[in-house]
Structure formats: structure tokens, C-alpha cells
Amino acid sequence: MGIDFTSDIADFDQKRFDALDTTAGAASSFSRLRQHQEDGRWISRYLGWRDGEELRAVVPLYRSRMRAWADPSYDPRSWGLPDGVGDACSPGTSLLVGGCADRRTGFHVDEETRAPGRLRKLLVEAARFAADEDRCLVFPYVYGAARTALDAATEGAVVWAELGREAHLFGLADPAWESGLPSKVRYRLRRDQRTIAGASMTDGEASWDEVGSWAAELISEHNAAKGQRELAEFVGFRLSTWAENPDVDVMVFTAEAGGRRGVQTILLWGDELEVYEIGLPAEEGDERLALYLDLLFHLPIRYARARGIDHIRLGSKAETAKARRGGVFEPLYGGVLGVAETRRLARGGSEG
């Protein structure tokens, strides 16, 4: 068995890499991490574990070239950790483990290597890399199974905070999916459909290239109304980057009712559909509600079921609305191993 560092994800087999873990979907796929590798704000390294020709694990590691966090949601000081934990983890003193963007992180470690003793050996190597530069280890936006494995391998040394919950719809490829939902959810979906029908709505599908010139502005205005201000150019850049990904299809649902129009961007990867960013008119009213329900729920559900797509990712906001329509939730966690604890782990290669 061999553990090695590399600076190019292309040193690993893409099919095997993606097969190691799909919990984060497109956001932690080989092709998406290759895009992050080309982002000049980050220095990317990969810690790989091979058993002969068999790839057992790949742990991406990221060091920031920036003084400020590229995405403030990655700042451990904003995570609600216990007092003092993470205070020293600035962009220049952190080594991000697993991911640096998209607010969810995969864990590309096979089941055998997730055993505490084996995983500890991988983490010791990451800790040595961090300790050489007096960095803390930061585990951003990981799922519960990864947290459990990391806790076992570090004997509970990582300090965690819950950062949010991701909503999912599963089982849509089953023809009996809707009949298997709770009666309250079925009632809600039928009431939605009446609201949508009452708005005399027209809807359709488009590529990002076809609608991006005006859709980016609408998404930007919608985000600003929710307190997330950014220029439409940044929205356009983000969606164009996804559209350039060779393994992800970007499409847009469009809808219009009462002279108002909305958009919902969609990412398609493998056998799952991700509801990405929505743009709605600012004015409240029945038409806006109908647009919201159609774009966020009913168009994606209809599209997925017609094509045998089994899984929809609904994102991490508007939990009440998503729960009422059958969404199930999975927590995402942020963890910190402080500088002193990272040094201690770096010396622990023979433990576990």
C-alpha cells in the first residue's frame, strides 16, 4: 500500500475517483474538483492511497492564496463553534480538507479505508502537511457519515458545528412514488397544482446560453432581496463555469404568469438532478407564488420522473416549504482541528 501527494487530480482514474463517494454529487466530482484546481485563488494538493493498482482514497487539500475567504461561509469563525475554537483559522493558517467551494464536501475514501486505524494514517499525513506551515485542519460542509469516520479516526479531537441541512427527494423513478408519500404531502402537491393552473402559466426549458443574458440579472436581484448581494456578472460567471464542466449539463426552467417571469437553473450529473439557483420577480402576489411552486418543485419533479431520474437535490434553504413537499434532510457539518491538535495528530502516526 502506498500513500502519496500529487498536485494534479488527473493522476487518478476519474471513474474510480467518482465511484469512491457520490454523497456530494456534482459538487465533489472529479470534473468539478479539476475546475477548482484551475482556480488561482487556491493551491490544490491530493493525498492518495493506492493498494497496488486499486485506488482506495483521495483526500483533496486546499490552501488559500487570498487574505480573505473566497466564500465567507467557509470562515470557521462564522460557524458557531465553541468560544475560541477556530479563531486562529484564517485563510492563511488553514488547510481545507475535502473541498473549498459549493458548500458540501464528498469523502472519497472506500469503506475498508474508513476503518479508524487506516483513516488515521491518511489524516496523520494531512496533519503533517498542515503542521509544517502551522496550519489548522478545517473540514468544511461534510456529511454525517464522514463526520462519524473522522471522529473515530481522531478519537473525537475535531470540534464540530452544524452548518445547515440539505434537502433531498428520493425514489422519483418509482412509478408509485407519489402514492407512497404521506397524505399531507400529497394534499400539498395537489394544492400546488391548482395554484399553478390558476395562474395561467406558460413554462419551458432553455440552455444557459439562451437565457443567461437576462436570467443572471433576475437571479442577482432575487439573491439581493434575500440578503445576498452580488453583481449579475458573478452569477453569470458561476453558471457559465458549471456549463463548461464536461460532465454536468446545465439547463434552465423558465416560466411566466401575469406578465412576470422566473427562472430555475438545474444541474444534471449522473442519475441526479440538482435544483441550483432561482430567480423570481420582486413583487409578491399569487403569480409569484405560482412561479415559485412550479419552478422549484413541480417542473423539476416532472422532468426527473419523465426521464427516470431517481434523486433531486433541493438545496439548504426554505426548509418548511421543502418538508411539506416530501423533502428529507441531511445535516452538513463544519469541523476544526486546531493548530496544537493538528501538531499532535501529526506526531501520532503509530497510534490507532
Side-chain angles (χ1 to χ4, degrees), residues 119-185:
L119 182 55
R120 185 179 180 85
K121 291 179 181 179
L122 270 174
L123 294 175
V124 165
E125 294 302 320
R128 287 172 176 166
F129 187 55
D132 284 345
E133 298 180 347
D134 292 325
R135 294 175 181 268
C136 56
L137 290 179
V138 177
F139 302 87
Y141 293 90
V142 304
Y143 291 86
R147 172 182 170 170
T148 298
L150 291 164
D151 277 341
T154 62
E155 299 175 348
V158 181
V159 181
W160 299 97
E162 185 174 320
L163 304 182
R165 303 202 303 168
E166 183 183 35
H168 303 260
L169 293 175
F170 294 109
L172 288 105
D174 184 347
W177 170 76
E178 189 168 350
S179 63
L181 296 172
S183 59
K184 289 183 178 179
V185 174

Side-chain angles (χ1 to χ4, degrees), residues 225-239:
K226 300 296 182 181
Q228 181 185 334
R229 297 186 178 277
E230 63 176 348
L231 297 174
E233 287 80 2
F234 288 110
V235 175
F237 174 77
R238 185 162 57 246
L239 269 299

Side-chain angles (χ1 to χ4, degrees), residues 178 181-195 298 324-326:
E178 189 168 350
L181 296 172
S183 59
K184 289 183 178 179
V185 174
R186 296 198 305 272
Y187 169 78
R188 180 72 61 171
L189 292 172
R190 289 194 295 270
R191 194 172 78 171
D192 288 352
Q193 291 163 354
R194 292 193 294 270
T195 299
H298 291 267
R324 288 174 175 172
R325 290 158 181 87

Side-chain angles (χ1 to χ4, degrees), residues 39-54:
D39 186 335
R41 297 172 297 180
W42 298 96
I43 301 171
S44 305
R45 294 291 184 271
Y46 307 91
L47 180 59
W49 183 319
R50 290 184 174 91
D51 184 357
E53 296 298 316
E54 189 73 11

Side-chain angles (χ1 to χ4, degrees), residues 265-335:
T265 56
I266 299 294
L267 308 180
L268 298 167
W269 180 77
D271 62 352
E272 66 178 48
L273 179 156
E274 179 178 345
V275 173
Y276 194 55
E277 294 191 79
I278 194 169
L280 293 170
E283 304 85 356
E284 298 290 341
D286 293 341
E287 289 86 0
R288 186 183 189 279
L289 175 60
L291 288 169
Y292 171 77
L293 296 173
D294 200 29
L295 289 166
L296 183 58
F297 298 108
H298 291 267
L299 284 172
I301 289 171
R302 192 159 68 239
Y303 183 93
R305 300 199 70 200
R307 289 159 180 81
I309 295 172
D310 201 52
H311 177 198
I312 293 180
R313 293 180 187 269
L314 285 172
S316 59
K317 299 178 181 178
E319 284 197 12
T320 300
K322 293 168 183 175
R324 288 174 175 172
R325 290 158 181 87
V328 295
F329 297 88
E330 188 165 4
L332 292 164
Y333 301 95

Side-chain angles (χ1 to χ4, degrees), residues 69-134:
W69 290 100
D71 180 346
S73 67
Y74 276 73
D75 184 350
R77 292 168 296 186
S78 71
W79 288 354
L81 293 161
D83 289 346
V85 177
D87 287 355
C89 294
S90 68
T93 60
S94 297
L95 183 66
L96 270 60
V97 182
C100 63
D102 298 321
R103 302 184 192 180
R104 62 181 194 267
T105 300
F107 192 56
H108 291 88
V109 180
D110 70 8
E111 287 301 322
E112 186 176 343
T113 311
R114 292 188 188 199
R118 288 195 167 203
L119 182 55
R120 185 179 180 85
K121 291 179 181 179
L122 270 174
L123 294 175
V124 165
E125 294 302 320
R128 287 172 176 166
F129 187 55
D132 284 345
E133 298 180 347
D134 292 325

